[in-house]
Coordinates of all heavy atoms in Angstrom, one line a residue:
Y280 N -15.2 8.1 3.5 CA -15.8 8.5 4.8 C -15.5 9.9 5.2 O -14.4 10.5 5.0 CB -15.3 7.5 5.9 CG -16.0 6.2 5.7 CD1 -15.3 5.3 4.8 CD2 -17.1 5.8 6.4 CE1 -15.9 4.0 4.7 CE2 -17.6 4.5 6.1 CZ -17.0 3.6 5.3 OH -17.5 2.4 5.1
Q281 N -16.5 10.6 5.8 CA -16.2 12.0 6.3 C -15.2 12.1 7.3 O -14.3 12.9 7.4 CB -17.5 12.6 6.7 CG -17.3 14.1 7.1 CD -18.7 14.7 7.6 OE1 -19.6 14.0 8.1 NE2 -18.8 15.9 7.4
H282 N -15.2 11.1 8.3 CA -14.2 10.9 9.5 C -13.7 9.6 9.6 O -14.5 8.6 9.4 CB -15.0 11.3 10.8 CG -15.6 12.7 10.9 ND1 -15.0 13.8 11.0 CD2 -17.0 12.9 10.7 CE1 -15.9 14.7 11.1 NE2 -17.1 14.3 11.0
V283 N -12.3 9.5 9.6 CA -11.7 8.3 9.9 C -10.7 8.5 10.9 O -9.9 9.4 10.9 CB -10.9 7.9 8.6 CG1 -10.1 6.5 8.8 CG2 -11.8 7.6 7.3
A284 N -10.8 7.5 11.8 CA -9.8 7.6 13.0 C -9.3 6.1 13.3 O -10.1 5.2 13.1 CB -10.5 8.1 14.3
A285 N -8.0 6.1 13.5 CA -7.4 4.8 13.8 C -6.5 4.9 14.9 O -5.6 5.8 15.1 CB -6.6 4.3 12.5
F286 N -6.6 3.9 15.9 CA -5.7 3.8 16.9 C -4.8 2.6 16.8 O -5.4 1.4 16.8 CB -6.4 3.8 18.4 CG -7.4 4.9 18.4 CD1 -8.7 4.9 17.9 CD2 -7.0 6.1 19.3 CE1 -9.5 5.9 18.2 CE2 -7.9 7.1 19.4 CZ -9.2 7.1 18.9
G287 N -3.6 2.7 16.7 CA -2.8 1.5 16.4 C -1.4 1.4 17.2 O -1.0 2.3 17.7
T288 N -0.9 0.2 17.2 CA 0.4 0.0 17.9 C 1.3 -0.9 17.0 O 0.8 -1.5 16.1 CB 0.2 -0.8 19.2 OG1 -0.3 -2.1 18.9 CG2 -0.6 -0.1 20.2
E289 N 2.6 -0.6 17.1 CA 3.6 -1.4 16.4 C 4.6 -1.8 17.5 O 5.1 -1.1 18.3 CB 4.3 -0.7 15.3 CG 3.5 -0.3 14.1 CD 4.2 0.4 13.0 OE1 4.5 1.7 13.2 OE2 4.7 -0.2 12.0
S290 N 4.8 -3.2 17.7 CA 5.7 -3.7 18.7 C 6.8 -4.7 18.1 O 6.5 -5.4 17.3 CB 4.7 -4.5 19.8 OG 3.8 -3.7 20.3
D291 N 8.0 -4.4 18.7 CA 9.1 -5.4 18.2 C 9.6 -6.0 19.5 O 10.2 -5.4 20.4 CB 10.1 -4.4 17.7 CG 11.3 -5.2 17.1 OD1 11.4 -6.5 17.4 OD2 12.2 -4.6 16.4
F292 N 9.3 -7.4 19.5 CA 9.7 -8.2 20.7 C 10.9 -9.2 20.2 O 10.9 -10.3 20.7 CB 8.5 -9.0 21.2 CG 7.4 -8.1 21.6 CD1 6.1 -8.2 20.9 CD2 7.5 -7.3 22.7 CE1 5.1 -7.5 21.3 CE2 6.3 -6.5 23.1 CZ 5.2 -6.6 22.4
G293 N 11.8 -8.6 19.5 CA 12.8 -9.5 19.0 C 12.4 -10.2 17.7 O 12.1 -9.5 16.6
K294 N 12.4 -11.5 17.8 CA 11.9 -12.4 16.5 C 10.4 -12.2 16.4 O 9.8 -12.3 15.2 CB 12.2 -13.8 16.7 CG 13.6 -14.1 16.7 CD 13.9 -15.6 16.7 CE 15.4 -15.9 16.4 NZ 15.7 -17.4 16.3
L295 N 9.6 -11.8 17.4 CA 8.2 -11.6 17.3 C 7.8 -10.2 17.1 O 8.2 -9.3 17.9 CB 7.5 -12.2 18.4 CG 6.0 -12.0 18.6 CD1 5.2 -12.8 17.5 CD2 5.4 -12.5 19.9
D296 N 7.1 -9.8 16.2 CA 6.5 -8.4 16.0 C 4.9 -8.5 16.0 O 4.4 -9.5 15.7 CB 6.9 -7.8 14.6 CG 8.4 -7.6 14.6 OD1 9.1 -7.6 15.7 OD2 9.0 -7.4 13.5
L297 N 4.4 -7.3 16.3 CA 3.0 -7.3 16.5 C 2.4 -6.0 15.9 O 2.9 -4.9 16.4 CB 2.4 -7.7 17.8 CG 0.9 -7.5 18.1 CD1 0.2 -8.6 17.3 CD2 0.6 -7.6 19.6
V298 N 1.5 -5.9 15.1 CA 0.8 -4.7 14.7 C -0.6 -4.8 14.9 O -1.3 -5.9 14.6 CB 1.0 -4.5 13.0 CG1 0.2 -3.3 12.6 CG2 2.5 -4.3 12.8
T299 N -1.3 -3.8 15.5 CA -2.7 -3.8 15.8 C -3.3 -2.5 15.3 O -2.6 -1.4 15.4 CB -3.0 -4.0 17.2 OG1 -2.5 -2.8 18.0 CG2 -2.3 -5.3 17.8
D300 N -4.6 -2.5 15.0 CA -5.3 -1.2 14.7 C -6.8 -1.4 15.0 O -7.4 -2.5 14.9 CB -5.3 -0.9 13.3 CG -4.3 0.2 12.9 OD1 -4.4 1.2 13.6 OD2 -3.5 0.0 11.9
V301 N -7.3 -0.3 15.6 CA -8.8 -0.2 15.9 C -9.2 1.0 15.0 O -8.7 2.1 15.1 CB -9.1 0.0 17.4 CG1 -10.6 0.2 17.5 CG2 -8.7 -1.1 18.2
I302 N -10.2 0.8 14.1 CA -10.4 1.7 13.0 C -11.9 2.0 13.0 O -12.8 1.1 13.1 CB -10.0 1.1 11.7 CG1 -8.5 0.7 11.7 CG2 -10.3 2.1 10.5 CD1 -8.1 -0.3 10.6
F303 N -12.1 3.4 12.9 CA -13.5 3.8 12.7 C -13.8 4.7 11.4 O -12.9 5.4 11.1 CB -14.0 4.8 13.9 CG -13.8 4.1 15.3 CD1 -12.7 4.0 16.0 CD2 -15.0 3.5 15.8 CE1 -12.6 3.3 17.1 CE2 -14.9 2.7 17.0 CZ -13.7 2.7 17.7
G304 N -14.9 4.5 10.8 CA -15.1 5.4 9.6 C -16.6 5.8 9.7 O -17.5 5.0 9.9
L305 N -16.8 7.1 9.7 CA -18.1 7.7 9.9 C -18.6 8.5 8.6 O -17.8 9.2 8.0 CB -18.1 8.7 11.1 CG -17.6 8.2 12.4 CD1 -17.7 9.2 13.5 CD2 -18.4 7.0 12.8
N306 N -20.0 8.3 8.3 CA -20.6 9.0 7.1 C -19.9 8.7 5.8 O -19.2 9.4 5.2 CB -20.5 10.6 7.4 CG -21.3 10.9 8.6 OD1 -22.2 10.2 9.1 ND2 -20.9 12.1 9.2
R307 N -20.3 7.5 5.4 CA -19.8 7.1 4.0 C -20.5 7.6 2.9 O -21.7 7.8 3.0 CB -19.8 5.5 4.0 CG -19.1 4.9 2.8 CD -19.4 3.5 2.5 NE -18.3 2.9 1.8 CZ -18.1 3.1 0.5 NH1 -18.7 3.9 -0.2 NH2 -17.1 2.5 -0.1
E308 N -19.8 7.8 1.8 CA -20.6 8.1 0.5 C -21.4 6.9 0.0 O -21.0 5.9 0.4 CB -19.5 8.5 -0.6 CG -18.7 9.7 -0.3 CD -17.6 9.8 -1.4 OE1 -17.6 9.2 -2.3 OE2 -16.8 10.7 -1.2
T309 N -22.4 7.1 -0.7 CA -23.1 6.1 -1.2 C -22.3 5.1 -2.1 O -21.5 5.7 -2.9 CB -24.4 6.5 -2.1 OG1 -25.1 7.3 -1.3 CG2 -25.3 5.3 -2.6

Side-chain angles (χ1 to χ4, degrees):
Y280 290 81
Q281 184 180 31
H282 303 281
V283 176
F286 304 84
T288 63
E289 290 183 283
S290 300
D291 184 348
F292 303 112
K294 290 189 175 183
L295 175 67
D296 292 341
L297 177 65
V298 174
T299 67
D300 255 316
V301 178
I302 303 164
F303 300 88
L305 306 179
N306 295 334
R307 197 196 197 286
E308 299 173 7
T309 304

